[in-house]
Short mmCIF file of all heavy atoms in Angstrom, two decimals:
data_model
loop_
_atom_site.label_atom_id
_atom_site.label_comp_id
_atom_site.label_asym_id
_atom_site.label_seq_id
_atom_site.Cartn_x
_atom_site.Cartn_y
_atom_site.Cartn_z
N HIS E 1147 -1.06 23.36 -18.13
CA HIS E 1147 -0.75 23.12 -19.54
C HIS E 1147 0.16 21.91 -19.73
O HIS E 1147 1.13 21.75 -19.01
CB HIS E 1147 -0.09 24.36 -20.16
CG HIS E 1147 -1.02 25.52 -20.26
ND1 HIS E 1147 -1.14 26.46 -19.26
CD2 HIS E 1147 -1.90 25.89 -21.23
CE1 HIS E 1147 -2.05 27.35 -19.62
NE2 HIS E 1147 -2.53 27.03 -20.80
N LYS E 1154 -7.15 26.50 -19.05
CA LYS E 1154 -8.44 26.77 -18.41
C LYS E 1154 -9.24 27.71 -19.29
O LYS E 1154 -9.32 28.90 -19.03
CB LYS E 1154 -8.24 27.42 -17.04
CG LYS E 1154 -7.77 26.47 -15.97
CD LYS E 1154 -7.85 27.11 -14.60
CE LYS E 1154 -6.47 27.46 -14.10
NZ LYS E 1154 -6.42 27.82 -12.68
N GLU E 1158 -14.95 33.49 -16.86
CA GLU E 1158 -14.43 34.01 -15.60
C GLU E 1158 -15.28 33.55 -14.41
O GLU E 1158 -14.76 33.36 -13.31
CB GLU E 1158 -14.41 35.54 -15.66
CG GLU E 1158 -13.95 36.24 -14.39
CD GLU E 1158 -12.51 35.92 -14.01
OE1 GLU E 1158 -11.71 35.66 -14.91
OE2 GLU E 1158 -12.21 35.94 -12.80
N LYS E 1307 -21.16 15.40 -25.01
CA LYS E 1307 -20.65 16.76 -24.99
C LYS E 1307 -21.72 17.74 -24.48
O LYS E 1307 -21.41 18.70 -23.78
CB LYS E 1307 -20.14 17.19 -26.37
CG LYS E 1307 -21.18 17.73 -27.33
CD LYS E 1307 -20.53 18.31 -28.59
CE LYS E 1307 -21.56 18.61 -29.67
NZ LYS E 1307 -22.41 19.78 -29.41
N ASN E 1311 -21.71 20.26 -21.18
CA ASN E 1311 -22.09 21.68 -21.18
C ASN E 1311 -23.08 21.97 -20.07
O ASN E 1311 -22.97 22.96 -19.34
CB ASN E 1311 -22.76 22.06 -22.51
CG ASN E 1311 -21.77 22.12 -23.66
OD1 ASN E 1311 -20.58 22.35 -23.47
ND2 ASN E 1311 -22.26 21.91 -24.87
N ARG E 1315 -22.94 24.36 -16.65
CA ARG E 1315 -23.91 25.43 -16.38
C ARG E 1315 -24.46 25.29 -14.97
O ARG E 1315 -24.64 26.28 -14.25
CB ARG E 1315 -25.06 25.38 -17.39
CG ARG E 1315 -24.63 25.76 -18.77
CD ARG E 1315 -25.82 25.83 -19.75
NE ARG E 1315 -25.30 26.05 -21.08
CZ ARG E 1315 -25.33 25.16 -22.08
NH1 ARG E 1315 -25.93 24.00 -21.90
NH2 ARG E 1315 -24.80 25.44 -23.24
N ASP E 1322 -21.48 27.33 -4.84
CA ASP E 1322 -21.22 27.39 -3.40
C ASP E 1322 -21.35 26.04 -2.71
O ASP E 1322 -20.53 25.69 -1.87
CB ASP E 1322 -22.17 28.39 -2.72
CG ASP E 1322 -21.81 29.81 -3.09
OD1 ASP E 1322 -20.64 30.04 -3.47
OD2 ASP E 1322 -22.69 30.69 -3.02
N VAL E 1416 -6.28 20.58 -33.74
CA VAL E 1416 -6.17 21.27 -32.45
C VAL E 1416 -7.17 22.42 -32.37
O VAL E 1416 -7.30 23.20 -33.31
CB VAL E 1416 -4.73 21.80 -32.25
CG1 VAL E 1416 -4.63 22.54 -30.92
CG2 VAL E 1416 -3.74 20.64 -32.29
N VAL E 1418 -10.21 24.33 -29.21
CA VAL E 1418 -10.55 24.51 -27.81
C VAL E 1418 -11.98 24.04 -27.56
O VAL E 1418 -12.91 24.51 -28.21
CB VAL E 1418 -10.41 25.98 -27.37
CG1 VAL E 1418 -10.96 26.19 -25.97
CG2 VAL E 1418 -8.95 26.42 -27.43
N ARG E 1423 -7.39 23.22 -24.51
CA ARG E 1423 -6.91 23.11 -25.89
C ARG E 1423 -6.48 21.67 -26.12
O ARG E 1423 -5.73 21.10 -25.33
CB ARG E 1423 -5.74 24.06 -26.12
CG ARG E 1423 -5.18 23.92 -27.54
CD ARG E 1423 -4.18 24.99 -27.88
NE ARG E 1423 -4.84 26.23 -28.24
CZ ARG E 1423 -4.62 27.40 -27.66
NH1 ARG E 1423 -3.76 27.50 -26.69
NH2 ARG E 1423 -5.27 28.47 -28.06
N ASP E 1428 -14.22 19.23 -35.51
CA ASP E 1428 -15.09 20.36 -35.82
C ASP E 1428 -15.17 20.55 -37.33
O ASP E 1428 -14.46 19.88 -38.08
CB ASP E 1428 -14.59 21.63 -35.13
CG ASP E 1428 -13.20 22.07 -35.60
OD1 ASP E 1428 -12.58 21.36 -36.42
OD2 ASP E 1428 -12.74 23.13 -35.16
N GLY E 1432 -15.34 25.91 -37.38
CA GLY E 1432 -14.99 25.80 -35.96
C GLY E 1432 -16.16 25.39 -35.08
O GLY E 1432 -16.08 25.46 -33.86
N GLN E 1433 -17.27 24.94 -35.70
CA GLN E 1433 -18.38 24.42 -34.91
C GLN E 1433 -18.09 22.96 -34.59
O GLN E 1433 -17.63 22.21 -35.46
CB GLN E 1433 -19.70 24.53 -35.67
CG GLN E 1433 -20.01 25.94 -36.19
CD GLN E 1433 -20.23 26.95 -35.08
OE1 GLN E 1433 -20.51 26.60 -33.94
NE2 GLN E 1433 -20.09 28.23 -35.41
N ILE E 1434 -18.38 22.56 -33.35
CA ILE E 1434 -18.10 21.20 -32.93
C ILE E 1434 -19.05 20.24 -33.66
O ILE E 1434 -20.25 20.50 -33.75
CB ILE E 1434 -18.25 21.05 -31.41
CG1 ILE E 1434 -17.39 22.10 -30.67
CG2 ILE E 1434 -17.89 19.64 -30.96
CD1 ILE E 1434 -15.92 22.10 -31.05
N PRO R 178 -22.52 32.94 -33.21
CA PRO R 178 -23.09 31.66 -32.78
C PRO R 178 -22.04 30.56 -32.69
O PRO R 178 -21.13 30.50 -33.52
CB PRO R 178 -24.10 31.33 -33.87
CG PRO R 178 -24.37 32.60 -34.58
CD PRO R 178 -23.14 33.44 -34.44
N SER R 180 -21.64 26.20 -31.40
CA SER R 180 -22.39 24.97 -31.13
C SER R 180 -22.42 24.61 -29.64
O SER R 180 -23.33 23.91 -29.21
CB SER R 180 -21.76 23.81 -31.91
OG SER R 180 -20.37 23.72 -31.63
N ASP R 181 -21.44 25.06 -28.87
CA ASP R 181 -21.33 24.61 -27.48
C ASP R 181 -21.13 25.78 -26.53
O ASP R 181 -20.05 25.98 -25.97
CB ASP R 181 -20.19 23.60 -27.35
CG ASP R 181 -20.52 22.29 -28.04
OD1 ASP R 181 -20.42 22.24 -29.28
OD2 ASP R 181 -20.92 21.35 -27.34
N VAL R 182 -22.21 26.54 -26.33
CA VAL R 182 -22.12 27.78 -25.55
C VAL R 182 -22.24 27.48 -24.06
O VAL R 182 -23.27 27.71 -23.43
CB VAL R 182 -23.19 28.80 -26.01
CG1 VAL R 182 -22.82 29.34 -27.38
CG2 VAL R 182 -24.57 28.16 -26.10
N ASP R 185 -23.66 30.01 -21.50
CA ASP R 185 -24.95 30.63 -21.77
C ASP R 185 -26.12 29.75 -21.36
O ASP R 185 -26.03 28.53 -21.42
CB ASP R 185 -25.06 30.95 -23.27
CG ASP R 185 -24.22 32.14 -23.66
OD1 ASP R 185 -24.51 33.25 -23.17
OD2 ASP R 185 -23.25 31.97 -24.43
N GLN R 190 -28.53 29.85 -25.94
CA GLN R 190 -28.23 28.55 -26.52
C GLN R 190 -29.16 28.28 -27.72
O GLN R 190 -28.71 27.92 -28.80
CB GLN R 190 -28.53 27.52 -25.44
CG GLN R 190 -27.64 26.32 -25.36
CD GLN R 190 -28.12 25.45 -24.20
OE1 GLN R 190 -28.37 25.93 -23.09
NE2 GLN R 190 -28.26 24.18 -24.46
N ASN R 229 -13.12 28.54 -30.09
CA ASN R 229 -12.79 27.61 -31.19
C ASN R 229 -13.00 28.15 -32.60
O ASN R 229 -12.12 27.99 -33.44
CB ASN R 229 -13.49 26.26 -31.00
CG ASN R 229 -12.81 25.18 -31.81
OD1 ASN R 229 -11.62 24.92 -31.65
ND2 ASN R 229 -13.55 24.58 -32.74
N GLU R 232 -10.09 30.38 -33.32
CA GLU R 232 -8.85 29.62 -33.52
C GLU R 232 -8.82 28.97 -34.90
O GLU R 232 -7.78 28.87 -35.53
CB GLU R 232 -8.73 28.51 -32.47
CG GLU R 232 -8.35 29.04 -31.12
CD GLU R 232 -7.20 28.25 -30.50
OE1 GLU R 232 -6.96 27.07 -30.89
OE2 GLU R 232 -6.55 28.81 -29.63
N ARG R 233 -9.97 28.47 -35.32
CA ARG R 233 -10.02 27.79 -36.60
C ARG R 233 -9.69 28.76 -37.71
O ARG R 233 -8.99 28.44 -38.66
CB ARG R 233 -11.44 27.19 -36.79
CG ARG R 233 -11.59 26.26 -37.95
CD ARG R 233 -10.59 25.10 -37.91
NE ARG R 233 -10.74 24.23 -36.77
CZ ARG R 233 -9.72 23.91 -35.95
NH1 ARG R 233 -8.51 24.39 -36.15
NH2 ARG R 233 -9.91 23.10 -34.92
N ASP R 255 -14.89 32.16 -23.24
CA ASP R 255 -14.07 31.10 -22.64
C ASP R 255 -12.57 31.40 -22.80
O ASP R 255 -11.76 30.49 -22.87
CB ASP R 255 -14.42 29.72 -23.23
CG ASP R 255 -14.24 29.65 -24.74
OD1 ASP R 255 -14.05 30.71 -25.37
OD2 ASP R 255 -14.29 28.54 -25.30
N GLU R 260 -5.51 32.89 -20.40
CA GLU R 260 -5.24 32.27 -21.70
C GLU R 260 -5.23 33.30 -22.82
O GLU R 260 -5.21 32.95 -23.99
CB GLU R 260 -6.32 31.21 -22.00
CG GLU R 260 -6.52 30.16 -20.92
CD GLU R 260 -5.37 29.15 -20.86
OE1 GLU R 260 -4.49 29.17 -21.74
OE2 GLU R 260 -5.36 28.34 -19.91
N THR R 283 -14.50 36.90 -8.48
CA THR R 283 -13.15 37.18 -8.97
C THR R 283 -12.28 37.74 -7.85
O THR R 283 -12.63 38.71 -7.21
CB THR R 283 -13.20 38.17 -10.15
OG1 THR R 283 -13.99 37.61 -11.19
CG2 THR R 283 -11.81 38.47 -10.68
N ARG R 287 -6.77 38.10 -9.46
CA ARG R 287 -7.26 37.94 -10.83
C ARG R 287 -7.67 39.28 -11.42
O ARG R 287 -7.51 39.53 -12.60
CB ARG R 287 -8.44 36.97 -10.86
CG ARG R 287 -8.10 35.55 -10.43
CD ARG R 287 -9.19 34.58 -10.83
NE ARG R 287 -9.52 34.72 -12.23
CZ ARG R 287 -8.75 34.26 -13.21
NH1 ARG R 287 -7.66 33.61 -12.92
NH2 ARG R 287 -9.10 34.44 -14.46
N LYS R 305 -24.12 34.70 -10.04
CA LYS R 305 -23.45 33.42 -10.22
C LYS R 305 -24.33 32.60 -11.14
O LYS R 305 -25.43 32.23 -10.77
CB LYS R 305 -23.30 32.71 -8.88
CG LYS R 305 -22.18 33.27 -8.06
CD LYS R 305 -21.97 32.48 -6.79
CE LYS R 305 -21.03 33.22 -5.89
NZ LYS R 305 -21.31 33.01 -4.47
#
Side-chain angles (χ1 to χ4, degrees):
Chain E
H1147 292 90
K1154 285 191 254 192
E1158 177 63 30
K1307 85 172 170 73
N1311 288 334
R1315 291 185 186 111
D1322 288 338
V1416 179
V1418 172
R1423 178 171 280 125
D1428 63 356
Q1433 306 295 340
I1434 306 305
Chain R
S180 53
D181 290 78
V182 289
D185 286 296
Q190 217 179 312
N229 199 58
E232 286 228 338
R233 191 55 63 233
D255 59 348
E260 306 287 352
T283 300
R287 296 195 51 76
K305 283 185 190 148

